Amino acid sequence: MLVDVSYEALTTFCLLIAGLALVVSIPLHDALHKSVVWAWSTAYGISATVATFSVTSLAGINRPWIIFLPPVLATSVAIKRRGATAAAHRIVREVPSVLVLSLMLTLIARTLRLGSYTGDSFQLIASARALAQNRRAGPAIASPFNFEEFPPGYSILQIPAAWGGHTANHGLGLALALALIALLGHALRAAQRPTPHIAVGAILAVLMSSHFFWVMTTYINSHAVVALLLLGTYLRLTSTQGRIRDELPTLLMVASLVVLRVENLLLVALFLMSRVGTGASREIGRLRTIRALLAAAGATGLAHQGTVLFFYQASGQSPSRSALGLFLLAFGLILVALIAPLLAGLRLVPIRGEVWVLLGFNVVYALHETAGFIASSVATAQNLLGWKGGWGILPPLVIALTLAVLLFMRDPEGSGEPQALITFLLAAFLLLFFTGYLREKPFRVGVGDSMNRQLFHLLPLALLAIGRAIGQGSLDRYRKMRL
Amino acid sequence: MIEFLNDNARLRLLRGKVVQPQFQGRPRLSHRQFTSRTRLLLPELMIGALLAGAVISFMVLPFVASESSFRFVRRVGGADDAAITASYGFTRRYDFYIELSKRHPDAEYIIYPAEAASQYLLELPAFAKAKLACPADEGTQLWVQAFGVPAPISRIDSSFAWDGKDRNDRKYRIRSGDFSNRFLVLLGDAGIDVIGINLFTSPPSQRCNDVS
């Protein structure tokens, strides 16, 4: 038992240290509270681990010592950026805290038996085992179709658990839950107009009182990871000064997103393209960052979808339409990265136009496959509003509040936030719904429904938009004006 | 910046002064006035909704958790399984086992180790060796068909290759290169609703050793 715990904790420790080193490499993170540093460390550490293990898996290196590789590489980045003394001082100072945190996460997860599974979980775990043993016969990578349906991102994260003889690293789920809470709370308070404390408390209480939140964060699947990385990417894009050399962790987060779920290339493309059209991208530095992220997403997508197509060719099967479509989309993202200044300058990307485009796609869905569209609509409505999705009262509350922000709050200065964020969320919802048409199978009633689970990716951003809108309009700021 | 009303109106309201002369003493507000007042207090209304939502959410949490088909404590493998079985109780799993036995009286289903199987995991370590008479070479397919399973049936073993699935009729095609290893059948919320499970080689038209 002790050996098991120590190994599982060690993998979490290495992941967090890798993330901490990347945090240290960016001067902007210097003054953050320790809980927020851990939250960013989780997000960055996951990205660094996915990136490193992807390369080692491709190279056929499958030794347990590789768990030390992400922290070593990330520390070398920190040393190069900040100098050996400063980086070492900061990292070494935090080592005892990270060690205790890793042990606590593992022990709590094991004691409370946190971890929920479905068939998909075991597909991912089996892939992790196959990758850990350098085999190409795991369920998810046995056929092109399954490699396409289950990208290897989450399985890569569970490789160390396979080396250690564990089913999965359950402490990671708890780390994700804490990171989401800390990062969301910090983002609400760190805004130019901070959300009042009572509102932050209420938002976090709503989040933590949702059974679905705990199920999704401890679920052996990629949903909580995607939610954290999407939130992290948004926060980096809206808070940094646009210095490209500070964006290595953001690049890693975007690249990791692409290999975590098959739909994520579409989601990331929508997210980044919507940023090209907003006011934020008109600043030269920030547009440069968005171009780099577009290129990173495109390159990762090309690599992954290229592998899928290669598997199809090697097995003598004709490639699926979705694999070809995603390959072309990845290529298109690189193209957009090249011409983004032209698009932003000429405003060829219409602000909020994506909602209408995706609405049009869903109209096509409704007309071309009416029965499936109705079935998907009814199932999604029942999951979100009819308590069938396991969310509790969270969906009606979030929908009502985001609509209130969108309909009743004015944006006279045209800063674009949080309305732009809510517009993205609306577009993302339409995009995810349209995937019901692409996969040629309607969504179903139940917690495990794909659409239902994927909406969790958008939840932190929706709560962030609501909180920031409250902060911008709250009476608190008037009271502080010493009337 | 977002404005809910113009700032001067808000400042006057907070000073306790009259916001709009026509608001005073009038029992009925025009639609526009009502909208303006609502907008003015919208952030506070949203905070109130969130607080109320949090309270209600905590109150309904046990109900939502009991209704959800997702549950915690699904550790598979290792020494933890015995405790998991205990926490879920033997009864439901045992009913499931009995149903299987009734349907397949001559099948040598062995739950191994008996106390280590949860309701979600049925281990059949000797099944393939004992029952599959036809050659089990690389590429041989095994179909798993379950009846009355409320949640999708799934299976796992790293030595088996997965090759597609159809959730509608709950058939799962599995390619295998090694039937000598243990074979795991995972059931979603199986419980007593499971009325039977068929295991047979594929394609169905050329079954060489159906166990059903």
Side-chain angles (χ1 to χ4, degrees), chain B residues 80-99:
Chain B
D80 288 337
D81 285 344
I84 293 168
T85 308
S87 70
Y88 275 93
F90 274 97
T91 310
R92 292 182 68 189
R93 181 189 59 76
Y94 198 61
D95 286 344
F96 166 54
Y97 176 63
I98 290 293
E99 288 294 337

Side-chain angles (χ1 to χ4, degrees), chain B residues 21-32:
Chain B
Q22 62 268 34
F23 283 3
Q24 284 189 324
R26 291 204 172 182
R28 283 180 293 181
L29 299 175
S30 69
H31 176 69
R32 189 173 178 178

Side-chain angles (χ1 to χ4, degrees), chain A residues 20-209:
Chain A
L20 178 68
L22 288 176
V23 167
V24 170
S25 72
I26 304 173
L28 291 169
H29 285 322
D30 276 352
L32 290 177
H33 187 268
K34 189 171 275 190
S35 63
V36 186
V37 167
W38 283 346
W40 279 115
S41 298
T42 309
Y44 292 171
I46 285 170
S47 309
T49 305
V50 169
T52 310
F53 287 0
S54 296
V55 174
T56 53
S57 296
L58 279 174
I61 304 169
N62 59 338
R63 293 285 183 273
W65 57 261
I66 290 170
I67 60 173
F68 297 108
L69 211 50
V72 168
L73 290 174
T75 304
S76 65
V77 170
I79 288 171
K80 191 179 177 190
R81 293 289 319 280
R82 302 294 298 274
T85 311
H89 179 255
R90 181 79 190 275
I91 294 170
V92 170
R93 197 180 61 187
E94 298 289 347
V95 161
S97 309
V98 177
L99 194 59
V100 171
L101 180 69
S102 307
L103 276 169
M104 279 179 62
L105 288 172
T106 307
L107 284 170
I108 292 171
R110 279 182 166 259
T111 307
L112 299 179
R113 302 183 181 285
L114 295 178
S116 45
Y117 290 79
T118 63
D120 287 2
S121 311
F122 290 99
Q123 293 249 28
L124 295 166
I125 289 170
S127 289
R129 288 177 180 173
L131 288 167
Q133 295 163 18
N134 199 25
R135 289 189 288 109
R136 297 289 182 267
I141 53 177
S143 74
F145 172 75
N146 284 294
F147 186 74
E148 182 188 349
E149 194 182 19
F150 292 94
Y154 187 80
S155 299
I156 284 171
L157 274 179
Q158 294 291 1
I159 286 176
W163 280 329
H166 302 293
T167 309
N169 182 357
H170 294 86
L172 185 63
L174 198 55
L176 286 164
L178 296 179
L180 274 169
I181 292 166
L183 208 55
L184 182 59
H186 169 72
L188 291 170
R189 289 299 299 167
Q192 196 176 5
R193 289 184 175 169
T195 310
H197 282 107
I198 189 169
V200 176
I203 286 169
L204 296 184
V206 163
L207 183 67
M208 286 189 284
S209 62

Side-chain angles (χ1 to χ4, degrees), chain A residues 18 24 56 87 100 124 126 205 237 293 311 346 399 408 414 459 463:
Chain A
V24 170
T56 53
V100 171
L124 295 166
L237 264 183
L293 296 179
F311 276 10
L346 299 177
I399 291 168
F408 297 117
L459 179 66
L463 293 173

Side-chain angles (χ1 to χ4, degrees), chain A residues 162-399:
Chain A
W163 280 329
H166 302 293
T167 309
N169 182 357
H170 294 86
L172 185 63
L174 198 55
L176 286 164
L178 296 179
L180 274 169
I181 292 166
L183 208 55
L184 182 59
H186 169 72
L188 291 170
R189 289 299 299 167
Q192 196 176 5
R193 289 184 175 169
T195 310
H197 282 107
I198 189 169
V200 176
I203 286 169
L204 296 184
V206 163
L207 183 67
M208 286 189 284
S209 62
S210 169
H211 177 253
F212 198 65
F213 170 74
W214 294 105
V215 164
M216 281 295 109
T217 48
T218 56
Y219 176 31
I220 304 301
N221 208 324
S222 59
H223 299 292
V225 182
V226 174
L228 180 66
L229 297 190
L230 204 57
L231 176 66
T233 306
Y234 175 80
L235 292 177
R236 290 291 302 162
L237 264 183
T238 52
S239 65
T240 56
Q241 304 304 307
R243 290 193 304 177
I244 191 70
R245 63 201 197 102
D246 287 339
E247 295 306 331
L248 174 64
T250 321
L251 291 169
L252 291 176
M253 284 198 291
V254 165
S256 301
L257 277 170
V258 172
V259 292
L260 277 164
R261 278 193 74 82
V262 66
E263 301 90 348
N264 276 7
L265 186 62
L266 291 167
L267 195 65
V268 168
L270 175 69
F271 177 65
L272 294 176
M273 289 294 288
S274 69
R275 303 308 301 178
V276 172
T278 62
S281 69
R282 289 180 205 131
E283 297 168 31
I284 298 297
R286 198 155 293 172
L287 181 60
R288 200 175 295 150
T289 304
I290 293 169
R291 289 176 69 190
L293 296 179
L294 280 165
T300 313
L302 273 181
H304 175 60
Q305 296 302 331
T307 312
V308 171
L309 293 177
F310 171 75
F311 276 10
Y312 271 112
Q313 192 188 20
S315 64
Q317 300 175 48
S318 54
S320 68
R321 275 183 301 172
S322 59
L324 280 171
L326 289 172
F327 185 81
L328 291 174
L329 174 66
F331 186 73
L333 286 181
I334 292 178
L335 198 65
V336 171
L338 292 173
I339 61 168
L342 188 68
L343 293 175
L346 299 177
R347 299 192 182 184
L348 287 179
V349 179
I351 296 173
R352 298 175 192 177
E354 65 271 23
V355 174
W356 297 106
V357 171
L358 287 163
L359 210 53
F361 283 174
N362 279 287
V363 169
V364 171
Y365 180 13
L367 294 175
H368 190 250
E369 204 179 301
T370 310
F373 181 84
I374 291 171
S376 287
S377 304
V378 170
T380 304
Q382 281 190 302
N383 285 338
L384 292 182
L385 306 174
W387 294 70
K388 300 288 186 186
W391 292 80
I393 66 157
L394 202 53
L397 187 67
V398 169
I399 291 168

